[in-house]
Amino acid sequence: MEIVVSGIRPTGDLHLGNYFGALRNFLKMQHQNNCYFFIADYHSLTTHPTPEDLHGNVKRVLVNYLAAGLNPDAATVYIQSDVPEVAELYLLLNMNAYVGELERVVSFKEKIRKQPNNVNAGLLTYPTLMAADIIIHRAHKVPVGKDQEQHLEMTRNFVNRFNRMYNVDYFPEPTAYNFGEELIKIPGLDGSTKMSKSDNENSCIFLGDAPELIRKKVMKAVSDQGPTEPNQPKAQAVENLFNIMKVVSTEDTYAHFSDLYNTCQIRYGDMKKQLAEDIVIFTTPFREKILELSADNEYLHKVAYQGAEKARESASKTIKEVREIIGFKPF
Ligand code: ADP
Ligand code: TRP
């Protein structure tokens, strides 16, 4: 069985775009592979969160993913900082990671541009920590998007360097788990082609949004004056509403409003009302689960504890072997 590792940034709640984009595929994977999913809280320290924010963000993300269907009995679900072996491997990898190659990483150059006053060593060595995350379980596959390809390439470089240096074939070369064609993009409520919390929070419907908030957001969504002739091509914002309807409503509902549009009889107010109700129906089980889990610290503790145990079992085996390969031998 293939070993899969993925890190989740603790950056906030999940929205419909996250769910229908990557997450559904991500969740399928957990039943087909030996998966390790962790919340990357060490990584998040590069932004200097307060202790309350750090803890709160980790909890929120854990709750959201569990509510969305991440199954701690199928996959190993853990919090990165509960596995200090990762930090040790990071230290060891850093000895053979060159400042020049780290400085050339696109995401690092972007950070320098965006936050010139906080260019810390953690940002520079982000790729070695990410490599440690992956190879601590000697993973084969990493389900990441295009923006992470360069980090994965660096991981392969570190793996090859280690294997060559010690003349071993110890770490496998990890590759991207590519969902390819299966990925769909959910548009925003603001007329943009992508629902994205980093671009515009208001364009997003979060899985935990209350019905009233969902109705308010949908009623405010951008549309247009309405079609003036039959079968007129749709403006982007209108196309967006139809595309969201396609994933949350029934086929009949979608066909009904398509017909109304094509015959110039559509009233966007009616369409939005229907869309809002269908989103509420779709998100209600998620919202209920989020509320239930948020209040159940005992369960969250159990999940994190059990995940840490399983992850540390695999990680400590790797660290023990790596120490021997490097020459740290007991006297
Ligand atoms: P955001 O753009 O809201 O900040 P993230 O960058 O945190 O979202 O995205 C996390 C994951 O969800 C990525 O795998 C990304 O490809 C996917 N994703 C985000 N927004 C969408 C969307 N609108 N449609 C499809 N997939 C999305
Ligand atoms: N860098 C990843 C992101 O920004 C998060 C991450 C950290 C990760 N460590 C990882 C992803 C290891 C996969 C494997 O989304």
Side-chain angles (χ1 to χ4, degrees):
M1 210 171 2
E2 283 199 308
I3 299 174
V4 176
V5 169
S6 188
I8 300 157
R9 282 176 293 131
T11 51
D13 297 328
L14 290 166
H15 53 71
L16 287 180
N18 299 136
Y19 185 79
F20 286 105
L23 191 54
R24 271 191 319 177
N25 296 302
F26 192 78
L27 296 175
K28 257 189 250 158
M29 241 171 23
Q30 64 187 336
H31 302 290
Q32 299 156 353
N33 300 278
N34 182 7
C35 288
Y36 292 87
F37 295 138
F38 67 93
I39 300 179
D41 59 347
Y42 278 145
H43 282 281
S44 74
L45 292 185
T46 57
T47 61
H48 305 163
T50 65
E52 292 74 27
D53 282 352
L54 178 65
H55 183 73
N57 291 343
V58 170
K59 177 173 171 179
R60 249 174 50 193
V61 169
L62 180 62
V63 163
N64 265 262
Y65 273 81
L66 292 173
L70 192 60
N71 181 343
D73 292 320
T76 303
V77 179
Y78 65 101
I79 299 167
Q80 186 186 28
S81 64
D82 281 341
V83 183
E85 288 81 2
V86 169
E88 180 169 350
L89 187 56
Y90 166 63
L91 179 149
L92 299 173
L93 289 178
N94 268 333
M95 301 304 170
N96 297 305
Y98 294 95
V99 172
E101 64 183 339
L102 294 169
E103 279 174 340
R104 282 195 296 276
V105 173
V106 174
S107 61
F108 178 65
K109 289 197 278 198
E110 240 168 58
K111 291 284 183 200
I112 297 182
R113 201 167 44 77
K114 283 197 188 149
Q115 48 180 72
N117 297 325
N118 181 22
V119 184
N120 57 63
L123 278 181
L124 180 68
T125 56
Y126 190 105
T128 46
L129 181 53
M130 181 157 160
D133 293 328
I134 296 168
I135 71 177
I136 195 78
H137 303 299
R138 300 172 74 196
H140 308 104
K141 287 276 189 278
V142 187
V144 285
K146 264 217 140 0
D147 61 321
Q148 298 295 315
E149 255 162 30
Q150 196 182 16
H151 290 154
L152 211 49
E153 184 68 41
M154 300 281 290
T155 305
R156 286 193 287 272
N157 291 343
F158 298 142
V159 158
N160 287 326
R161 203 170 288 163
F162 181 93
N163 286 345
R164 218 176 319 115
M165 185 160 179
Y166 296 105
N167 200 18
V168 289
D169 190 13
Y170 185 67
F171 288 119
E173 266 192 57
T175 52
Y177 199 111
N178 204 332
F179 297 118
E181 299 293 292
E182 293 166 57
L183 284 188
I184 57 166
K185 192 160 91 175
I186 302 294
L189 294 172
D190 58 349
S192 64
T193 56
K194 185 175 173 248
M195 184 177 282
S196 165
K197 69 174 171 295
S198 28
D199 293 348
N200 177 9
E201 281 237 0
N202 295 323
S203 76
C204 300
I205 301 278
F206 294 97
L207 296 182
D209 277 350
E212 269 325 301
L213 183 58
I214 292 176
R215 292 187 187 110
K216 218 162 98 190
K217 285 181 179 176
V218 175
M219 294 318 282
K220 276 207 292 201
V222 180
S223 59
D224 66 4
Q225 303 296 318
T228 50
E229 51 189 272
N231 301 315
Q232 191 176 308
K234 298 184 184 85
Q236 183 67 54
V238 175
E239 178 83 23
N240 288 356
L241 295 178
F242 274 96
N243 280 339
I244 299 175
M245 187 167 248
K246 205 181 254 167
V247 295
V248 294
S249 303
T250 63
E251 270 179 43
D252 287 351
T253 301
Y254 180 82
H256 171 69
F257 286 100
S258 285
D259 285 348
L260 289 178
Y261 180 89
N262 287 329
T263 52
C264 302
Q265 300 175 75
I266 193 154
R267 292 188 358 210
Y268 291 128
D270 294 345
M271 180 186 181
K272 286 177 175 178
K273 257 191 210 139
Q274 178 71 46
L275 180 60
E277 290 322 305
D278 289 341
I279 295 177
V280 169
I281 291 171
F282 178 79
T283 54
T284 290
F286 293 110
R287 186 181 63 259
E288 286 175 348
K289 197 81 197 157
I290 287 171
L291 289 173
E292 179 195 320
L293 290 172
S294 302
D296 196 348
N297 280 328
E298 202 178 313
Y299 177 71
L300 297 177
H301 171 80
K302 203 183 110 209
V303 168
Y305 186 84
Q306 169 191 316
E309 290 264 290
K310 277 205 275 176
R312 288 196 75 179
E313 195 180 313
S314 147
S316 58
K317 181 169 180 289
T318 303
I319 277 294
K320 184 166 173 286
E321 289 165 356
V322 164
R323 282 176 148 267
E324 270 170 31
I325 291 170
I326 287 180
F328 290 129
K329 294 195 176 143
F331 285 99

